[in-house]
Amino acid sequence: MKTKILAATLALTLAPSVALAMGCNYEKHQQAASCQAGSSWDADKGICVANPTG
C-alpha cells in the first residue's frame, strides 16, 4: 500500500511540471516590437516591409 501511495504522490507532484514543459513552444509567434516609419509588419514573411506609396 505504501508503494501505491508513493506512486500516486509522485505522479501528482510531477504532473504540473510535465504539462508546462510540453507547452513551452506551443504556437510560438515572432513579432516585431516596432517597424520604422513608412513600413508595416508582414506576418507571412516575418519582417517589416515598406508600405507602398502612391
Side-chain angles (χ1 to χ4, degrees):
M1 183 146 167
K2 286 183 182 181
T3 305
K4 289 181 183 180
I5 293 173
L6 179 62
T9 303
L10 183 61
L12 291 173
T13 302
L14 295 178
S17 300
V18 173
L20 287 173
M22 291 176 66
C24 288
N25 291 325
Y26 183 70
E27 290 189 36
K28 188 174 184 180
H29 296 286
Q30 184 178 12
Q31 292 181 336
S34 62
C35 295
Q36 293 179 346
S39 63
S40 61
W41 181 252
D42 186 339
D44 294 332
K45 294 180 182 178
I47 58 172
C48 290
V49 294
N51 291 338
T53 57

